Amino acid sequence: APRLQRSVSRDAVAQDVRFALRLARASPLVTAIIVLTIALGIGANTAIFSIVDAVLLRPLPFPHGEELVSLWATNPDKSITRFGVSYADFEDWQARTRSYRGMALYAPSLTSLNGPGGPESVASLNVSSNFLSVVGLRPEVGRFFGADDARGESSNSVVLTYGYWQRRFGGRRSVIGERYSLNGRLRTVIGVLPRDADLLGPALSGAPLDAITVAEFTTYPRIELHAQHLFGALARLAPGVTLAQARAELYGTEVALATEHPDIAGWTASVFRFSDDLSVSSRQPLLLLLGASGVLLLIACINVANLLVVRGALRGRELALRGALGATRTRLVRQLVIESIVLGVAGGGLGAAGAAAALGAIRRLIPPGAIARSSDIGMQPAVLAFALFATVATAVLFGAWPAVRNADVCIVVAG
């Protein structure tokens, strides 16, 4: 009996779906208006969520990326929480803190490389020799900086980014060991970063990154001064240390340094998740856009619900006849809800397809380096799941109230 009941229930639902499809074909104009309205709301929300997912929600593509943090100096009036770090402060941070199992410095620069096709400008990152190991990267080919590269003035090694390796050298593995002039200095290519590391450029320098070299700290002017804020700093939290603990320790350390060195009196330090620094300039605009698109979807649902109420009123005789013939309130509500779901699925599918097409154009319009991980924007599994959830939620939202209202009216009329 239970099996027979489930079979009858499935047949009834299938019958309702077929009837909903016939009804949709019978009223093409109303159907088109409803589907396009839903598609606009779903498409806008899906496209914007895809950007939010890529830029704000997706975890870092590095081992234990949640441990990576950015270290910054904070000026005395606290108006700039992400101020450059001095080399002298950095050395004291390393010596006096225990919350970090690795700290590294970096400084972006624009230089020139005389490669196979002649000289060209390249965006480079000058780093402490342990920078790549702190981030947790493994080379795509070749190796990274070692003990011989610890002092930048004695290092002639250069590591290429994956994107630059593909673009300028055609992805040749034989580039390892070749020598090129970088800013007038002959350097040997020792390795290539993995593809995922290409996000470091937009995050750290605001532009696509081409090459990484070991910094020659002795060449920086007045490097010994605590007030010479020239660098950015990354660190990896020690096991079991929370962000709050690490932040408190570094803050206390910098306060102590500021009392010891009058040239940085009043300065403190700030610690942020590196993932937060990736999106510090785009987080608020993206969240505002997502909120605005949610309002747009809500307006679309209200408009569609009103259309369904009007259409239900025009179908009053048909629904009243069903009620008079014995259709229960539950049966009528189910029929009307299924009609809404059919329209919602059609609108959601069309909206998702439109979002996929729009995202390709959005990726091309975003200037290189303007948004970290903009190349990851697309119809990823999380985005497809969001589109499916939005479609179902929308269908229920715009379909439930008209279905109950129209069913109640028709039951009263039939009675």
Side-chain angles (χ1 to χ4, degrees):
R3 184 179 301 176
L4 178 60
Q5 187 176 5
R6 287 195 298 269
S7 177
V8 170
S9 178
R10 284 195 299 267
D11 290 342
V13 170
Q15 183 182 12
D16 288 343
V17 171
R18 289 193 296 270
F19 182 79
L21 292 173
R22 286 198 302 271
L23 183 64
R25 289 194 297 268
S27 307
L29 180 59
V30 175
T31 299
I33 292 173
I34 292 174
V35 169
L36 290 176
T37 301
I38 298 168
L40 177 63
I42 295 292
N45 276 266
T46 300
I48 294 173
F49 179 80
S50 176
I51 301 173
V52 170
D53 175 62
V55 179
L56 303 183
L57 303 181
R58 203 168 302 169
L60 292 173
F62 308 133
H64 303 288
E66 72 283 356
E67 296 176 353
L68 282 176
V69 293
S70 300
L71 313 179
W72 298 99
T74 301
N75 65 338
D77 66 7
K78 310 298 184 292
S79 60
I80 305 176
T81 57
R82 288 175 168 87
F83 210 100
V85 175
S86 71
Y87 183 74
D89 275 358
F90 178 79
E91 288 195 310
D92 284 331
W93 290 354
Q94 286 185 304
R96 300 189 186 189
T97 61
R98 296 293 179 269
S99 296
Y100 308 90
R101 56 173 171 169
M103 291 184 183
L105 286 179
Y106 65 89
S109 67
L110 189 64
T111 184
S112 63
L113 185 144
N114 193 1
E120 71 168 330
S121 294
V122 295
S124 66
L125 207 61
N126 303 321
V127 303
S128 55
S129 60
N130 67 332
F131 177 84
L132 298 176
S133 62
V134 168
V135 177
L137 296 172
R138 293 181 178 275
E140 182 74 19
V141 294
R143 66 174 180 86
F144 287 159
F145 305 119
D148 295 339
D149 301 295
R151 293 179 59 84
E153 57 266 34
S154 62
S155 171
N156 289 315
S157 301
V158 59
V159 173
L160 305 178
T161 64
Y162 185 92
Y164 187 66
W165 176 54
Q166 292 290 329
R167 184 174 68 254
R168 188 68 190 270
F169 299 94
R172 289 190 296 108
R173 290 179 173 266
S174 58
V175 72
I176 304 300
E178 294 180 354
R179 306 181 76 192
Y180 297 99
S181 175
L182 187 66
N183 204 28
R185 176 173 171 176
L186 205 60
R187 293 184 180 268
T188 302
V189 179
I190 63 169
V192 176
L193 295 176
R195 184 196 298 269
D196 288 339
D198 279 357
L199 68 85
L200 291 175
L204 303 179
S205 65
L209 189 63
D210 301 316
I212 296 181
T213 59
V214 175
E216 301 178 44
F217 294 114
T218 57
T219 65
Y220 286 85
R222 308 178 75 182
I223 191 72
E224 73 282 357
L225 297 181
H226 283 265
Q228 194 73 326
H229 300 97
L230 301 173
F231 305 99
L234 284 182
R236 187 171 283 275
L237 298 178
V241 174
T242 67
L243 180 64
Q245 291 170 336
R247 182 176 288 147
E249 184 186 34
L250 192 71
Y251 182 91
T253 300
E254 185 63 15
V255 168
L257 289 172
T259 62
E260 298 170 14
H261 303 279
D263 57 338
I264 56 170
W267 284 77
T268 55
S270 303
V271 182
F272 299 94
R273 295 281 184 196
F274 180 52
S275 56
D276 291 340
D277 272 7
L278 286 175
S279 57
V280 66
S281 62
S282 55
R283 176 178 297 273
Q284 186 173 0
L286 286 177
L287 292 178
L288 287 174
L289 275 175
L290 188 61
S293 66
V295 172
L296 175 65
L297 183 58
L298 180 60
I299 293 172
C301 289
I302 294 172
N303 290 333
V304 171
N306 288 331
L307 280 173
L308 290 178
V309 169
V310 172
R311 189 171 75 166
L314 296 175
R315 294 171 60 197
R317 182 176 298 178
E318 168 212 329
L319 296 174
L321 179 59
R322 289 186 174 212
L325 292 175
T328 63
R329 178 178 181 276
T330 301
R331 180 70 176 82
L332 290 176
V333 169
R334 188 184 70 189
Q335 171 64 53
L336 294 171
V337 168
I338 287 177
E339 291 174 11
S340 300
I341 291 174
V342 168
L343 294 172
V345 169
L350 182 61
L359 288 173
I362 290 172
R363 283 195 301 270
R364 292 189 292 270
L365 289 173
I366 295 175
I371 300 179
R373 299 201 278 193
S374 60
S375 60
D376 293 339
I377 295 172
M379 299 299 287
Q380 304 292 338
V383 179
L384 292 173
F386 172 84
L388 178 61
F389 171 80
T391 298
V392 173
T394 298
V396 172
L397 187 61
F398 75 71
W401 175 69
V404 172
R405 184 180 185 279
N406 290 328
D408 285 343
V409 170
C410 293
I411 290 295
V412 170
V413 172

